Amino acid sequence: MRCRRGFSLVELVLAAMLTIVVGGFGLYSLSGGRASAESLALTEEILEELRAARQQAISRQVPVALAFPGAQSQSFYQVEGLSVPRVTRSVDYSRTYPSACFFLGLWGTGSTEPSPMNAGTGGFRLDQWTPLPRPEDRYIVFTPAGTVTSNGLPMFGGEYRLLVSDGVQFVPGSPVRLTKAHKAHTIAISQTGAMTALPGVYGGPEVLDESGLATGPGGTSLAAQGAPNELPDELVLTVQPTPNQVSDSSAVAIVPPEGYISLMTQARDKSGAGPMVSWEADGPGGKGRFSSDKPTSMEWDADKKVWTSRWNWSPPRGAADGEVYSLTCKVENSNGAVKKKLGAGVSVQMVPSHRIAAIAADKLWENFHVAWMNPEGTNLVEVTLPDRVLEHLTPVWSPNGDKLAFYSGKMVGDSFEATLYIVNQDGSNLRKLFTCKGDLNEYMFGPSFSPDGAHVTFSAYRDSWKGASRVFVCDTYGTPSPLKLTDESGIDHLDYEHLDVAWHPSKNLIAFARHSKGSPNESSIRVVKYPEGTWHDIVSAGVGSRYNEPHWARGGNKLIFVRDKRLFVAAVDGDGRLVGTVKESATRPLGVNAEAPRFANTDNRVAVLDYSNDKLWVVELNDFDDENDDVWKQLNTSDVEGYNWSDDGTEIVYASFNGGIFVVDLADNTRKNVTPKNFQAWHTPSWWAP
């Protein structure tokens, strides 16, 4: 079993390095026509990696760098950390794009500006970010403010450069020779974090001609030349990520208190030089924080023939839900300035700091990792590294939202060999709690936290138990201590399964399903007091019936569970003992096969999953009166794999078998797709709110 937060430095550097050369280099042609599409594809991949690293730096508020081993390569590794950087992943493109490579902006002739190591970095000092894993490698570092710095890369017109080309191979000491047949592309990265991919080889902006000789920096502007200087016009303002749902106000964007939005500006300017752009914010809580505290140069988009810029904005600390902020953009050239407000009405509205945790995978259903986002599908934060071998299952939030517990494992025969892990919400301190076996279905809703978040409970098989399972409790620091199940009426505990554990929302009471494996054949819903181990049964049944999946109401005064795909509810007292009689809700007349029941935040609203058609139902239980008075409603869902309630009980989030994450609004039974880009959802998501 393995699940690693990182890699050893030696392993990463050896895997990432193809050739280490910081000085001179050259290229020779390899059959450029054979892989003419690889340059563009690799350019897009690297551009996406750079943008993702910048978003991680802003959302996690830690510096994130892409490190390149040498002047030319087919690989890089990622480094991140507040004070002491650590290597967190490596990427090798040699198999995916065998005939393409990328190299750093060291080509061309002429003067280049020195790299300003600490300019505009929001207080981050690269020279104090030590020790770097390999100080001789070149680092493109994204700061928590969204700006960019480097450990010595030269700059061309205020930008760092990466060149990507087809059909070339590194040869030390050989001259640089490329023709247009190589389909080269240049990635330009400005100090403010703007990134642009341009066709050709730009060392300033000139392109290689058919002779294959590289030109150096200098030359004319990328914009149209010779036109009279006028005020910028046609300002187009947009925001990313585009929210799937905005509030009822006229806000054009929403953002949680710890989140951010990206502000894109496009402008047409007939002057010879690029205009400058800046943003202002106004709201009840202050101005918030922009990725730059002064105007920045706009970037030229050669395809769209417009000037562009990208800024990030984070709301003020302590901003309250519902607060509205007005964001205004100013674009200025030598002839004057033009201002425009984001949106026709108010600009940005604060939303609650809700988080949806999910298991992500790539399009091949590999590289599983744990991530969370807000309910609009934005502000994605990855808290574990992708793993090509293991399947991760069922992330569960701790009550205060500071930790996530999840399983990681693989199928071995008919059993799922799993290790229970816990990780902080920012991705730090990943630790192993317990290794066990079980049926895959038993991991559908994951472990269950104690009310104070100090312990988790779960059921587990062990080979020595002959297929039986027991209930365990671990503290969240990694010290396992089996929960003692006392007095099995003289029957060996190996003849019983203990499944589907659920911790009481406010007391040290744990409910679980208990089934005998032999004779006498019986099943019950049992409640155990932790750590004493005293127990009692809520309900029990004989041959032919099995109780499963107990779940507590938010107030702890009710338990729901299923038997033979029918829904039952029991009122309980403060010690978790049955009060009155158990009630069955009318699932059979409706044809509902009830499984995976879950209370909302009320004591009467319950959801169940019907695996016969992968649909969700919600029932409003009419206390303990006539079961036919219960109100059932089929939700607008499909292909439901696992689900959970929002904190306020008005919405449900579910993962579908096609890899999407959806949120259903119970008020109007509408659903929205909140799946982030390049995100395949897997198993059961979890919703947390303060």
Side-chain angles (χ1 to χ4, degrees):
M1 189 64 53
R2 66 178 184 88
C3 185
R4 302 183 296 179
R5 169 66 185 160
F7 304 85
S8 72
L9 177 59
V10 173
E11 178 184 358
L12 275 167
V13 172
L14 288 178
M17 291 178 58
L18 295 179
T19 308
I20 301 180
V21 173
V22 179
F25 62 94
L27 305 169
Y28 72 85
S29 177
L30 284 175
S31 122
R34 182 182 60 189
S36 60
E38 290 194 9
S39 173
L40 178 58
L42 182 54
T43 299
E44 292 175 345
E45 290 241 21
I46 297 173
L47 195 60
E48 205 58 40
E49 290 282 359
L50 290 164
R51 287 170 175 162
R54 184 173 186 262
Q55 286 191 352
Q56 289 176 31
I58 296 169
S59 61
R60 297 183 185 179
Q61 286 296 284
V62 297
V64 177
L66 297 191
F68 301 89
Q72 179 267 344
S73 183
Q74 289 178 296
S75 59
F76 69 85
Y77 57 97
Q78 185 166 312
V79 178
E80 58 187 81
L82 281 172
S83 57
V84 179
R86 68 186 189 278
V87 180
T88 56
R89 60 190 289 257
S90 67
V91 178
D92 188 347
Y93 294 112
S94 59
R95 292 187 178 180
T96 310
Y97 306 107
S99 298
C101 70
F102 47 88
F103 57 92
L104 305 176
L106 304 175
W107 67 90
T109 59
S111 62
T112 59
E113 306 96 283
S115 175
M117 296 181 66
N118 303 303
T121 58
F124 168 69
R125 290 185 60 87
L126 177 59
D127 54 351
Q128 296 179 0
W129 205 40
T130 56
L132 288 172
R134 289 185 56 87
E136 66 270 28
D137 291 346
R138 301 304 178 99
Y139 293 81
I140 294 176
V141 186
F142 297 94
T143 75
T147 57
V148 184
T149 186
S150 173
N151 62 333
L153 277 177
M155 304 187 74
F156 300 87
E159 296 175 331
Y160 302 106
R161 306 280 177 155
L162 277 173
L163 178 66
V164 184
S165 181
D166 285 334
V168 292
Q169 183 173 334
F170 174 69
V171 178
S174 298
V176 178
R177 283 198 173 272
L178 285 176
T179 69
K180 292 182 179 179
H182 286 104
K183 307 296 183 184
H185 288 76
T186 300
I187 298 174
I189 309 157
S190 76
Q191 287 180 264
T192 60
M195 285 167 266
T196 307
L198 303 168
V201 180
Y202 287 90
E206 292 131 10
V207 187
L208 285 173
D209 59 25
E210 293 294 349
S211 67
L213 298 177
T215 59
T220 58
S221 167
L222 293 173
Q225 299 300 306
N229 194 14
E230 298 176 2
L231 278 175
D233 59 3
E234 296 186 61
L235 266 60
V236 178
L237 308 181
T238 55
V239 61
Q240 288 184 355
T242 303
N244 293 285
Q245 179 186 10
V246 294
S247 63
D248 294 333
S249 71
S250 56
V252 296
I254 51 179
V255 61
E258 77 280 7
Y260 71 96
I261 55 175
S262 293
L263 304 165
M264 273 67 64
T265 308
Q266 290 186 7
R268 298 192 182 276
D269 183 13
K270 297 180 181 180
S271 63
M276 304 293 288
V277 63
S278 60
W279 282 83
E280 298 175 351
D282 183 34
K287 295 182 178 180
R289 182 164 50 87
F290 288 100
S291 54
S292 178
D293 57 1
K294 59 183 179 180
T296 60
S297 299
M298 299 188 73
E299 318 290 332
W300 177 251
D301 188 324
D303 293 329
K304 297 180 180 179
K305 307 299 182 185
V306 295
W307 293 97
T308 66
S309 80
R310 181 188 182 104
W311 280 42
N312 286 323
W313 179 79
S314 298
R317 297 189 183 277
D321 296 345
E323 288 184 356
V324 174
Y325 289 80
S326 174
L327 302 184
T328 303
C329 178
K330 181 173 74 171
V331 175
E332 185 175 11
N333 64 12
S334 59
N335 198 48
V338 177
K339 285 188 175 183
K340 186 174 182 180
K341 192 174 181 180
L342 179 68
V346 294
S347 296
V348 179
Q349 182 170 339
M350 302 299 299
V351 294
S353 181
H354 291 204
R355 304 174 189 164
I356 294 174
I359 300 296
D362 59 23
K363 293 182 179 180
L364 299 178
W365 291 108
E366 297 176 347
N367 294 314
F368 294 91
H369 57 285
V370 182
W372 61 264
M373 69 205 75
N374 66 34
E376 290 74 37
T378 57
N379 299 105
L380 182 69
V381 176
E382 297 178 354
V383 297
T384 68
L385 292 176
D387 194 303
R388 292 182 179 274
V389 177
L390 305 180
E391 294 181 357
H392 298 342
L393 303 174
T394 321
V396 175
W397 285 107
S398 61
N400 64 358
D402 65 336
K403 294 183 287 289
L404 279 163
F406 65 97
Y407 292 109
S408 179
K410 60 184 177 181
M411 292 299 299
V412 178
D414 295 331
S415 296
F416 186 77
E417 288 190 352
T419 297
L420 178 62
Y421 286 88
I422 195 165
V423 64
N424 294 345
Q425 59 88 21
D426 62 356
S428 63
N429 199 18
L430 177 72
R431 52 208 180 271
K432 180 190 298 184
L433 296 187
F434 200 80
T435 300
C436 53
K437 287 185 177 180
D439 187 285
L440 184 61
N441 292 329
E442 293 159 12
Y443 297 98
M444 181 57 65
F445 283 93
S448 182
F449 276 94
S450 60
D452 60 3
H455 296 82
V456 290
T457 183
F458 55 95
S459 62
Y461 288 101
R462 284 288 177 85
D463 288 334
S464 60
W465 300 339
K466 302 177 183 179
S469 60
R470 298 185 67 182
V471 173
F472 279 79
V473 174
C474 287
D475 67 46
T476 55
Y477 300 99
T479 306
S481 55
L483 176 64
K484 295 179 181 179
L485 301 177
T486 61
D487 189 9
E488 289 288 357
S489 303
I491 300 172
D492 191 327
H493 74 273
L494 295 181
D495 291 329
Y496 281 82
E497 295 178 309
H498 307 91
L499 311 170
D500 304 337
V501 294
W503 209 305
H504 190 282
S506 60
K507 301 178 181 293
N508 278 335
L509 301 175
I510 300 172
F512 59 92
R514 172 180 171 271
H515 311 305
S516 65
K517 293 171 63 63
S519 178
N521 190 325
E522 61 180 355
S523 176
S524 64
I525 297 296
R526 179 159 291 187
V527 174
V528 175
K529 189 173 183 179
Y530 178 79
E532 292 86 344
T534 55
W535 60 271
H536 58 270
D537 285 335
I538 294 292
V539 66
S540 60
V543 177
S545 293
R546 286 174 65 97
Y547 287 101
N548 289 296
E549 301 176 311
H551 188 257
W552 298 94
R554 178 72 64 92
N557 61 336
K558 292 180 183 178
L559 266 174
I560 49 173
F561 41 86
V562 294
R563 188 187 79 189
D564 302 327
K565 299 183 179 180
R566 304 199 306 272
L567 178 65
F568 293 83
V569 58
V572 295
D573 62 17
D575 293 323
R577 296 183 180 276
L578 180 66
V579 176
T581 60
V582 175
K583 172 191 172 182
E584 178 183 355
S585 190
T587 54
R588 284 305 187 208
L590 295 170
V592 179
N593 295 299
E595 295 184 78
R598 286 294 180 269
F599 270 109
N601 65 334
T602 70
D603 294 338
N604 291 330
R605 180 176 290 175
V606 174
V608 298
L609 178 54
D610 188 339
Y611 282 111
S612 67
N613 55 22
D614 299 325
K615 289 278 191 177
L616 280 171
W617 290 75
V618 169
V619 55
E620 300 286 347
L621 299 174
N622 188 23
D623 292 327
F624 287 85
D625 297 332
D626 186 353
E627 66 186 39
N628 293 315
D629 290 340
D630 295 342
V631 180
W632 286 78
K633 178 181 181 180
Q634 187 176 23
L635 297 187
N636 178 24
T637 59
S638 62
D639 301 325
V640 179
E641 185 174 15
Y643 77 96
N644 259 306
W645 284 96
S646 66
D647 185 72
D648 60 7
T650 63
E651 295 176 298
I652 283 180
V653 59
Y654 73 90
S656 67
F657 285 103
N658 64 14
I661 300 178
F662 296 86
V663 172
V664 182
D665 189 331
L666 269 65
D668 53 11
N669 204 10
T670 59
R671 64 174 175 173
K672 57 184 178 183
N673 188 333
V674 298
T675 315
K677 184 180 179 182
N678 300 324
F679 193 100
Q680 296 283 103
W682 163 245
H683 229 251
T684 304
S686 178
W687 196 311
W688 176 85

